[in-house]
Amino acid sequence: MASAQDSRYGQKDTSDQNFDYMFKLLIIGNSSVGKTSFLFRYADDSFTSAFVSTVGIDFKVKTVFKNEKRIKLQIWDKSPQEGFRMIYITYHRGIIGFIFMFQVTSVLAYSTLLDWSTQIKTYSWDNAQVILVGNKCDMEDERVIFTERGKHLAEQLGFEFFETSAKDNINVKQTFEQLVDIICDKMSESLEMDPTIAVSKQNTWLKDTPPPQQPNCGC
Ligand code: GTP
Ligand code: MG
């Protein structure tokens, strides 16, 4: 069972069945890189500079709209102490997108990233889409991983790359938008999804509000 020991999570309503698609996403990365802050910035537009390390695993739900489809994002935030195996067995068979997060203010071994990728493959998440994120880009003075290095790491692994700041709200929404876009593209390729959701590169930005009701709509 997911723990709600991090008091920042509070109560959540998971009962909303009113969606066209649900995507399970997981944010992973070493402790204190900003996973929980990133999620809270996206889901609640909130940020706190206090550090409360996540215990166990928890999630938030955010509903977005893409090409008039309602997509429910169930975004999991995992403490680095929780092993992949436990997560695989217990919660995450259906994970379809990952955010691999590091902070630009600490050195990051390529082997760590490789290890995360290998674990995904090991647990049969071959089809999952991944975005590499360098968080805390607001801390320019303390930066030790430069943008080119981040891009290079992402290229080596075949992932997209964003530099973000949960604190200053830089590229947080864009990261999720891109992840949803590539998931939709992948799914439409394999014909598991209504292709119209991914074909148009125009107007593909996610919206936080539902499309306007059609006149004379009987619903
Ligand atoms: P664990 O739960 O231990 O795995 O950590 P976490 O990855 O969830 O990190 P968390 O979001 O708790 O953030 C750790 C610390 O970094 C907190 O003090 C945050 O306020 C701070 N922080 C998070 N994101 C940013 C950011 O973009 N910029 C700056 N300057 N600080 C950040
Ligand atoms: Mg956390």
Side-chain angles (χ1 to χ4, degrees):
M1 209 175 92
S3 90
Q5 294 173 57
D6 184 337
S7 59
R8 285 177 287 178
Y9 278 93
Q11 297 292 314
K12 349 172 222 283
D13 177 12
T14 56
S15 59
D16 175 17
Q17 295 300 313
N18 184 17
F19 55 84
D20 297 299
Y21 303 101
M22 188 182 79
F23 294 168
K24 276 192 188 180
L25 312 176
L26 176 63
I27 308 175
I28 58 174
N30 293 336
S31 182
S32 86
V33 297
K35 299 178 296 296
T36 304
S37 304
F38 191 77
L39 178 53
F40 275 69
R41 171 61 77 192
Y42 182 58
D44 298 342
D45 199 18
S46 68
F47 178 81
T48 171
S49 53
F51 176 31
V52 183
S53 191
T54 304
V55 179
I57 181 158
D58 215 326
F59 67 92
K60 274 187 167 287
V61 170
K62 179 152 170 124
T63 302
V64 294
F65 296 87
K66 180 176 163 69
N67 296 347
E68 308 204 347
K69 299 286 185 213
R70 183 184 282 256
I71 303 176
K72 183 169 165 177
L73 304 180
Q74 194 183 76
I75 310 162
W76 291 79
D77 172 20
K78 170 182 113 55
S79 139
Q81 281 74 40
E82 298 290 344
F84 263 85
R85 184 174 160 72
M86 185 283 287
I87 291 204
Y88 172 69
I89 291 168
T90 317
Y91 310 108
H92 287 318
R93 280 167 198 279
I95 289 189
I96 199 166
F98 285 83
I99 292 174
F100 280 6
M101 182 172 290
F102 66 90
Q103 55 187 357
V104 300
T105 52
S106 298
V107 287
L108 172 76
Y110 179 65
S111 58
T112 304
L113 285 176
L114 212 52
D115 185 45
W116 291 345
S117 304
T118 308
Q119 300 212 46
I120 286 183
K121 293 195 173 84
T122 306
Y123 292 110
S124 317
W125 288 322
D126 278 329
N127 288 327
Q129 304 303 304
V130 184
I131 292 193
L132 182 65
V133 162
N135 191 39
K136 306 196 186 180
C137 71
D138 57 286
M139 297 174 73
E140 265 314 319
D141 292 348
E142 292 169 53
R143 182 194 273 273
V144 294
I145 299 192
F146 291 90
T147 309
E148 285 310 313
R149 170 76 178 142
K151 279 187 188 161
H152 183 64
L153 286 170
E155 269 169 28
Q156 281 178 289
L157 293 160
F159 304 151
E160 306 243 358
F161 177 63
F162 279 91
E163 282 197 344
T164 66
S165 167
K167 183 179 178 206
D168 288 354
N169 200 7
I170 299 169
N171 277 343
V172 177
K173 194 173 174 200
Q174 288 83 345
T175 300
F176 282 99
E177 286 174 343
Q178 183 65 16
L179 187 53
V180 169
D181 271 354
I182 57 180
I183 290 169
C184 290
D185 285 350
K186 179 79 182 179
M187 291 179 80
S188 68
E189 269 172 29
S190 54
L191 298 178
E192 286 173 22
M193 177 183 264
D194 173 358
T196 59
I197 196 165
V199 285
S200 170
K201 287 294 170 195
Q202 311 293 322
N203 189 29
T204 56
W205 295 116
L206 300 179
K207 303 181 192 81
D208 294 332
T209 51
Q213 291 288 328
Q214 297 296 319
N216 304 322
C217 172
C219 52

